[in-house]
Amino acid sequence: MKRPKINDVYKYNFSFKNEDVIAYAELSGDVNPIHISEEYSKDTIYGRCIVHGYFSISIFSKIYGTELYPDQHILISQNARYFKPIFTGVEYIAVFRVKELFPDKNRVLYLNEIYEKATAELKVSGEALLMNKKFYNW
């Protein structure tokens, strides 16, 4: 397995579907109308429904668990700052950059960002600390 290096970058294109937001609302119990009611949302500052914040950053978990060094990759911590709303039916790109390595602890710190693909506008930014013993032959 290739070991990560500082400034390694991985990119992933994605979008959210309305039915996925509804399913997340039901699963999480967060049925705030800003997420699920177009009638309600049209009169808000966003003019339409927005994707739940935690659901929007679930893309990070998906990539860590299935795409980016998934073999024994364990999420230790994740933070996020939401700059602009995420909407359904819009193309986004998630960018993952290795920010720091802690080989003595088998840890990797990533910078995670979500950009709107068409405008390159930053929507979400945060960091994630992950453990993966396979990186270091311990």
Side-chain angles (χ1 to χ4, degrees), residues 111-123:
L111 174 64
N112 309 313
E113 297 174 315
I114 297 174
Y115 295 89
E116 186 172 330
K117 199 169 178 183
T119 65
E121 182 175 48
L122 179 63
K123 300 293 186 165

PDB file of all heavy atoms in Angstrom, residues 111-123:
ATOM      1  N   LEU A 111      -6.894  17.848   5.389  1.00  0.00           N
ATOM      2  CA  LEU A 111      -7.742  19.006   5.169  1.00  0.00           C
ATOM      3  C   LEU A 111      -8.814  18.542   4.195  1.00  0.00           C
ATOM      4  O   LEU A 111      -8.494  17.976   3.143  1.00  0.00           O
ATOM      5  CB  LEU A 111      -6.957  20.169   4.563  1.00  0.00           C
ATOM      6  CG  LEU A 111      -7.771  21.391   4.150  1.00  0.00           C
ATOM      7  CD1 LEU A 111      -8.418  22.054   5.358  1.00  0.00           C
ATOM      8  CD2 LEU A 111      -6.897  22.377   3.401  1.00  0.00           C
ATOM      9  N   ASN A 112     -10.087  18.730   4.545  1.00  0.00           N
ATOM     10  CA  ASN A 112     -11.216  18.324   3.700  1.00  0.00           C
ATOM     11  C   ASN A 112     -11.969  19.572   3.262  1.00  0.00           C
ATOM     12  O   ASN A 112     -12.302  20.408   4.092  1.00  0.00           O
ATOM     13  CB  ASN A 112     -12.227  17.473   4.484  1.00  0.00           C
ATOM     14  CG  ASN A 112     -11.597  16.340   5.217  1.00  0.00           C
ATOM     15  OD1 ASN A 112     -10.800  15.622   4.665  1.00  0.00           O
ATOM     16  ND2 ASN A 112     -11.966  16.154   6.467  1.00  0.00           N
ATOM     17  N   GLU A 113     -12.264  19.664   1.976  1.00  0.00           N
ATOM     18  CA  GLU A 113     -13.019  20.815   1.484  1.00  0.00           C
ATOM     19  C   GLU A 113     -14.040  20.365   0.446  1.00  0.00           C
ATOM     20  O   GLU A 113     -13.802  19.405  -0.275  1.00  0.00           O
ATOM     21  CB  GLU A 113     -12.076  21.851   0.863  1.00  0.00           C
ATOM     22  CG  GLU A 113     -11.113  22.426   1.875  1.00  0.00           C
ATOM     23  CD  GLU A 113     -10.074  23.336   1.277  1.00  0.00           C
ATOM     24  OE1 GLU A 113      -9.492  22.967   0.232  1.00  0.00           O
ATOM     25  OE2 GLU A 113      -9.852  24.407   1.851  1.00  0.00           O
ATOM     26  N   ILE A 114     -15.149  21.078   0.408  1.00  0.00           N
ATOM     27  CA  ILE A 114     -16.162  20.857  -0.618  1.00  0.00           C
ATOM     28  C   ILE A 114     -16.320  22.160  -1.389  1.00  0.00           C
ATOM     29  O   ILE A 114     -16.526  23.229  -0.800  1.00  0.00           O
ATOM     30  CB  ILE A 114     -17.522  20.445  -0.019  1.00  0.00           C
ATOM     31  CG1 ILE A 114     -17.394  19.109   0.717  1.00  0.00           C
ATOM     32  CG2 ILE A 114     -18.595  20.379  -1.113  1.00  0.00           C
ATOM     33  CD1 ILE A 114     -18.653  18.699   1.460  1.00  0.00           C
ATOM     34  N   TYR A 115     -16.212  22.056  -2.707  1.00  0.00           N
ATOM     35  CA  TYR A 115     -16.378  23.200  -3.613  1.00  0.00           C
ATOM     36  C   TYR A 115     -17.530  22.927  -4.566  1.00  0.00           C
ATOM     37  O   TYR A 115     -17.729  21.790  -4.990  1.00  0.00           O
ATOM     38  CB  TYR A 115     -15.122  23.407  -4.467  1.00  0.00           C
ATOM     39  CG  TYR A 115     -13.901  23.795  -3.697  1.00  0.00           C
ATOM     40  CD1 TYR A 115     -13.051  22.826  -3.180  1.00  0.00           C
ATOM     41  CD2 TYR A 115     -13.578  25.133  -3.503  1.00  0.00           C
ATOM     42  CE1 TYR A 115     -11.905  23.178  -2.473  1.00  0.00           C
ATOM     43  CE2 TYR A 115     -12.436  25.492  -2.798  1.00  0.00           C
ATOM     44  CZ  TYR A 115     -11.609  24.507  -2.289  1.00  0.00           C
ATOM     45  OH  TYR A 115     -10.475  24.850  -1.594  1.00  0.00           O
ATOM     46  N   GLU A 116     -18.255  23.974  -4.930  1.00  0.00           N
ATOM     47  CA  GLU A 116     -19.216  23.844  -6.020  1.00  0.00           C
ATOM     48  C   GLU A 116     -18.402  23.748  -7.306  1.00  0.00           C
ATOM     49  O   GLU A 116     -17.518  24.573  -7.569  1.00  0.00           O
ATOM     50  CB  GLU A 116     -20.165  25.041  -6.067  1.00  0.00           C
ATOM     51  CG  GLU A 116     -21.254  24.854  -7.097  1.00  0.00           C
ATOM     52  CD  GLU A 116     -22.320  25.930  -7.022  1.00  0.00           C
ATOM     53  OE1 GLU A 116     -22.573  26.473  -5.926  1.00  0.00           O
ATOM     54  OE2 GLU A 116     -22.899  26.217  -8.088  1.00  0.00           O
ATOM     55  N   LYS A 117     -18.695  22.746  -8.091  1.00  0.00           N
ATOM     56  CA  LYS A 117     -17.871  22.475  -9.275  1.00  0.00           C
ATOM     57  C   LYS A 117     -17.937  23.609 -10.302  1.00  0.00           C
ATOM     58  O   LYS A 117     -16.915  24.023 -10.835  1.00  0.00           O
ATOM     59  CB  LYS A 117     -18.314  21.147  -9.902  1.00  0.00           C
ATOM     60  CG  LYS A 117     -17.295  20.559 -10.809  1.00  0.00           C
ATOM     61  CD  LYS A 117     -17.658  19.139 -11.175  1.00  0.00           C
ATOM     62  CE  LYS A 117     -16.634  18.580 -12.121  1.00  0.00           C
ATOM     63  NZ  LYS A 117     -16.977  17.251 -12.564  1.00  0.00           N
ATOM     64  N   ALA A 118     -19.110  24.141 -10.565  1.00  0.00           N
ATOM     65  CA  ALA A 118     -19.274  25.147 -11.615  1.00  0.00           C
ATOM     66  C   ALA A 118     -18.644  26.492 -11.262  1.00  0.00           C
ATOM     67  O   ALA A 118     -18.149  27.201 -12.134  1.00  0.00           O
ATOM     68  CB  ALA A 118     -20.755  25.340 -11.937  1.00  0.00           C
ATOM     69  N   THR A 119     -18.651  26.840  -9.973  1.00  0.00           N
ATOM     70  CA  THR A 119     -18.183  28.172  -9.566  1.00  0.00           C
ATOM     71  C   THR A 119     -16.866  28.152  -8.799  1.00  0.00           C
ATOM     72  O   THR A 119     -16.286  29.212  -8.570  1.00  0.00           O
ATOM     73  CB  THR A 119     -19.228  28.848  -8.662  1.00  0.00           C
ATOM     74  OG1 THR A 119     -19.336  28.091  -7.448  1.00  0.00           O
ATOM     75  CG2 THR A 119     -20.578  28.957  -9.357  1.00  0.00           C
ATOM     76  N   ALA A 120     -16.432  26.984  -8.369  1.00  0.00           N
ATOM     77  CA  ALA A 120     -15.235  26.811  -7.531  1.00  0.00           C
ATOM     78  C   ALA A 120     -15.398  27.487  -6.164  1.00  0.00           C
ATOM     79  O   ALA A 120     -14.416  27.736  -5.462  1.00  0.00           O
ATOM     80  CB  ALA A 120     -13.975  27.292  -8.233  1.00  0.00           C
ATOM     81  N   GLU A 121     -16.624  27.779  -5.776  1.00  0.00           N
ATOM     82  CA  GLU A 121     -16.889  28.414  -4.494  1.00  0.00           C
ATOM     83  C   GLU A 121     -16.744  27.396  -3.363  1.00  0.00           C
ATOM     84  O   GLU A 121     -17.318  26.309  -3.410  1.00  0.00           O
ATOM     85  CB  GLU A 121     -18.306  28.989  -4.494  1.00  0.00           C
ATOM     86  CG  GLU A 121     -18.677  29.711  -3.230  1.00  0.00           C
ATOM     87  CD  GLU A 121     -20.049  30.352  -3.335  1.00  0.00           C
ATOM     88  OE1 GLU A 121     -21.011  29.683  -3.769  1.00  0.00           O
ATOM     89  OE2 GLU A 121     -20.155  31.537  -2.964  1.00  0.00           O
ATOM     90  N   LEU A 122     -15.983  27.769  -2.317  1.00  0.00           N
ATOM     91  CA  LEU A 122     -15.801  26.917  -1.157  1.00  0.00           C
ATOM     92  C   LEU A 122     -17.085  26.871  -0.340  1.00  0.00           C
ATOM     93  O   LEU A 122     -17.615  27.910   0.037  1.00  0.00           O
ATOM     94  CB  LEU A 122     -14.640  27.431  -0.290  1.00  0.00           C
ATOM     95  CG  LEU A 122     -14.340  26.660   0.988  1.00  0.00           C
ATOM     96  CD1 LEU A 122     -13.899  25.226   0.678  1.00  0.00           C
ATOM     97  CD2 LEU A 122     -13.274  27.385   1.796  1.00  0.00           C
ATOM     98  N   LYS A 123     -17.568  25.676  -0.075  1.00  0.00           N
ATOM     99  CA  LYS A 123     -18.797  25.490   0.689  1.00  0.00           C
ATOM    100  C   LYS A 123     -18.533  25.035   2.118  1.00  0.00           C
ATOM    101  O   LYS A 123     -19.158  25.511   3.048  1.00  0.00           O
ATOM    102  CB  LYS A 123     -19.701  24.459  -0.002  1.00  0.00           C
ATOM    103  CG  LYS A 123     -20.112  24.828  -1.402  1.00  0.00           C
ATOM    104  CD  LYS A 123     -21.015  26.017  -1.397  1.00  0.00           C
ATOM    105  CE  LYS A 123     -21.552  26.323  -2.770  1.00  0.00           C
ATOM    106  NZ  LYS A 123     -22.676  27.231  -2.742  1.00  0.00           N
TER     107      LYS A 123
END
